[in-house]
Amino acid sequence: MLYSPIKKLSIIVVLTMIISSFANAADIARTLRTNSQDNNDPDNFLEVGVGAGAFIGSSMSESEGKGAGLGVNLSASYNWKGFFIDVFAETGEPVVIGYNAYHNDVWSFDVVLGTTGGGISEDTDDRFIGINKRESSSMLGGRLTGYFGENILQVSLKHDVKGRSKGTVASALLGRNWQVRNWNFHGLMGLYLSDAKFNDYYLGVTEQESAVTGLETYDGKTSLTFNSSLGVTYPISENWIYRATVGFGSNFGQNDSSLFQKRRNFYTSIGTSISYVF
Amino acid sequence: MILTKIHKIFVISPLYFTLLFMAFIWSSNGHSAARDQYNIGLHVTPERCVALRQGQTCYQEVTFTWRQSQKGNYCLVELSTMQVLQCWQQVNSGKFEWDFQSSESREFALRNQDTTENLAASRITVSWVFKSSKRPKSSWKLF
């Protein structure tokens, strides 16, 4: 999970991500779930839906590190002459602005700018009273996507240009979709690397914060996590789609932080939703 | 105790959601074929097949029903390929179940066995959720 430190701020946030965009699957999930092939992406769209999800893993705000809930999700994409803006559209970031710099039948290269969303604050949990609020990062970088039949490979590299964390993240994803009658399945696995600066900004606890909150000091370290998901999408009508997904991944190198109330080395998630596509 | 109960309810929610959806799909497939089979003409239910993406093969179990005023030898024909799907001998009504598989809409007609005149026609429309357009090919623009 690319920005798991941020997503783990609360179970609710995690559930929202599961329901809205199967966030574990990250950047290429939309392409996979729409069963697009040969570098053939869907046009502009706006989706609004409702869903349910359950999650078990590490958590900063839940002592048991698990929960479930219902939620409303919004997802949108607008493309114009190579420029695009994706909102909760299968990416690890809430909003991604980008430009398709190169494209042929096999390869596509995008320059992308994404915001990570906010970080922890005093509102996240009572244990964080007196802690410095973590701000969102603006991650600028590139992502290269290769389309090989029903298989999609994507690598990305992004750096925080806003200067809050000054961190760098990278990912390598491999996905595949297949159709069984009108059911569109997708499988996705990926490795996510977050450097020490990125993790330290979002997961670190300074001596000053430790003195105020009582949390143990922690210096963020470079982490490499594994994420995977298996999902299905079914077109109910021209405007309604049904989705379900299960996710599994690791939290190694991230859940050592004292910010976590419950630490698990692995997470599991399940989500299902019905969305209206405008 | 209260939290535990809430968790159980919520954990069940995805399963309940899925079961509800499957029930919806099952009920929506049982269209009113029986209602149409007594009308003169050719009817197909359902008339629409929805794929997720434009260009995908759409799958749909469909039922053709037809009725004519006189008994005769009739055939059901797919008009784009002229494939004969089914023929009937000396009857004035019929029913045919077929596994429709196509990425495009298709027209069907009922004909007398030895003629090319369409006595009645019907159409299965293929639609989709996501329009799929090929991005224009381009070269490197940044460098």
Side-chain angles (χ1 to χ4, degrees):
Chain A
M1 195 180 302
L2 193 57
Y3 299 128
S4 51
I6 299 164
K7 289 174 190 166
K8 288 169 187 167
L9 293 178
S10 75
I11 288 288
I12 297 303
V13 171
V14 170
L15 285 173
T16 303
M17 300 302 282
I18 293 168
I19 293 165
S20 64
S21 61
F22 309 111
N24 301 333
D27 295 345
I28 59 176
R30 190 186 86 192
T31 306
L32 287 169
R33 283 203 297 97
T34 55
N35 214 339
S36 297
Q37 295 174 16
D38 301 330
N39 212 354
N40 207 3
D41 285 341
D43 278 352
N44 307 327
F45 72 89
L46 171 64
E47 286 179 34
V48 178
V50 294
F55 175 88
I56 181 167
S58 297
S59 176
M60 293 180 177
S61 59
E62 294 287 330
S63 59
E64 294 185 6
K66 59 184 176 182
L70 302 170
V72 177
N73 63 284
L74 171 71
S75 177
S77 178
Y78 183 75
N79 303 265
W80 181 77
K81 293 187 176 178
F83 292 92
F84 60 87
I85 178 167
D86 293 340
V87 180
F88 285 117
E90 318 303 336
T91 66
E93 299 138 335
V95 178
V96 174
I97 301 169
Y99 179 68
N100 180 237
Y102 176 76
H103 184 98
N104 64 22
D105 285 341
V106 178
W107 294 100
S108 177
F109 179 75
D110 299 323
V111 178
V112 291
L113 175 66
T115 58
T116 59
I120 62 164
S121 68
E122 293 183 345
D123 298 331
T124 306
D125 192 80
D126 290 342
R127 298 181 305 125
F128 300 150
I129 300 295
I131 207 163
N132 296 327
K133 176 176 169 56
R134 270 66 162 175
E135 304 288 348
S136 63
S137 295
S138 297
M139 309 301 291
L140 177 66
R143 66 183 184 199
L144 180 68
T145 309
Y147 299 81
F148 308 97
E150 294 172 338
N151 304 294
I152 302 177
L153 172 70
Q154 184 175 79
V155 292
S156 72
L157 182 66
K158 301 171 192 170
H159 180 72
D160 177 21
V161 293
K162 201 171 178 179
R164 295 271 165 67
S165 71
K166 296 185 176 64
T168 302
V169 296
S171 65
L173 309 173
L174 181 63
R176 179 181 176 84
N177 56 27
W178 65 97
Q179 183 182 2
V180 180
R181 297 188 69 83
N182 292 335
W183 294 86
N184 295 267
F185 293 86
H186 83 264
L188 181 59
M189 58 181 67
L191 292 173
Y192 295 79
L193 179 73
S194 303
D195 74 352
K197 287 180 181 176
F198 187 85
N199 282 337
D200 191 52
Y201 179 73
Y202 289 106
L203 300 175
V205 179
T206 65
E207 290 184 2
Q208 179 195 2
E209 288 175 322
S210 177
V212 175
T213 62
L215 297 169
E216 189 178 339
T217 59
Y218 177 76
D219 294 324
K221 302 173 183 63
T222 298
S223 65
L224 182 66
T225 57
F226 164 78
N227 295 280
S228 64
S229 73
L230 186 65
V232 65
T233 303
Y234 182 85
I236 303 168
S237 71
E238 290 174 55
N239 294 103
W240 289 95
I241 53 175
Y242 168 78
R243 290 175 179 144
T245 192
V246 292
F248 176 77
S250 73
N251 298 314
F252 295 120
Q254 294 185 331
N255 59 353
D256 296 335
S257 170
S258 55
L259 294 176
F260 286 101
Q261 201 171 155
K262 179 66 180 181
R263 300 171 189 174
R264 284 192 172 92
N265 288 332
F266 299 97
Y267 73 84
T268 306
S269 64
I270 182 172
T272 181
S273 67
I274 289 181
S275 298
Y276 185 86
V277 182
F278 291 92
Chain B
M1 181 65 78
I2 294 173
L3 275 175
T4 306
K5 285 183 178 176
I6 291 172
H7 278 159
K8 283 181 180 174
I9 291 169
F10 281 151
V11 167
I12 289 168
S13 293
L15 178 61
Y16 177 75
F17 207 79
T18 304
L19 291 174
L20 200 66
F21 170 73
M22 293 181 75
F24 172 77
I25 294 297
W26 180 77
S27 63
S28 65
N29 281 336
H31 275 275
S32 53
R35 184 184 60 202
D36 292 332
Q37 68 182 348
Y38 296 108
N39 297 330
I40 295 293
L42 174 66
H43 308 279
V44 60
T45 54
E47 295 176 324
R48 185 172 293 270
C49 184
V50 182
L52 184 63
R53 181 181 57 79
Q54 183 181 9
Q56 267 190 331
T57 299
C58 195
Y59 299 83
Q60 184 74 59
E61 295 281 353
V62 297
T63 302
F64 292 93
T65 54
W66 62 270
R67 178 172 287 274
Q68 293 292 300
S69 56
Q70 295 183 343
K71 288 185 177 179
N73 299 335
Y74 298 100
C75 287
L76 178 63
V77 181
E78 198 280 296
L79 292 179
S80 66
T81 60
M82 294 301 170
Q83 178 190 0
V84 176
L85 302 183
Q86 178 80 0
C87 287
W88 294 265
Q89 308 297 319
Q90 290 304 308
V91 292
N92 68 340
S93 66
K95 181 178 179 181
F96 177 61
E97 294 181 349
W98 191 51
D99 185 19
F100 175 80
Q101 300 180 13
S102 176
S103 60
E104 298 175 339
S105 299
R106 300 286 184 189
E107 302 270 357
F108 302 87
L110 186 71
R111 292 177 170 179
N112 278 317
Q113 192 164 18
D114 299 324
T115 71
T116 56
E117 180 188 3
N118 296 336
L119 301 173
S122 193
R123 175 185 175 90
I124 298 176
T125 302
V126 172
S127 57
W128 47 83
V129 180
F130 294 106
K131 183 181 176 184
S132 196
S133 60
K134 201 83 170 176
R135 288 177 182 168
K137 287 186 178 181
S138 63
S139 57
W140 288 95
K141 296 176 183 175
L142 289 182
F143 311 105

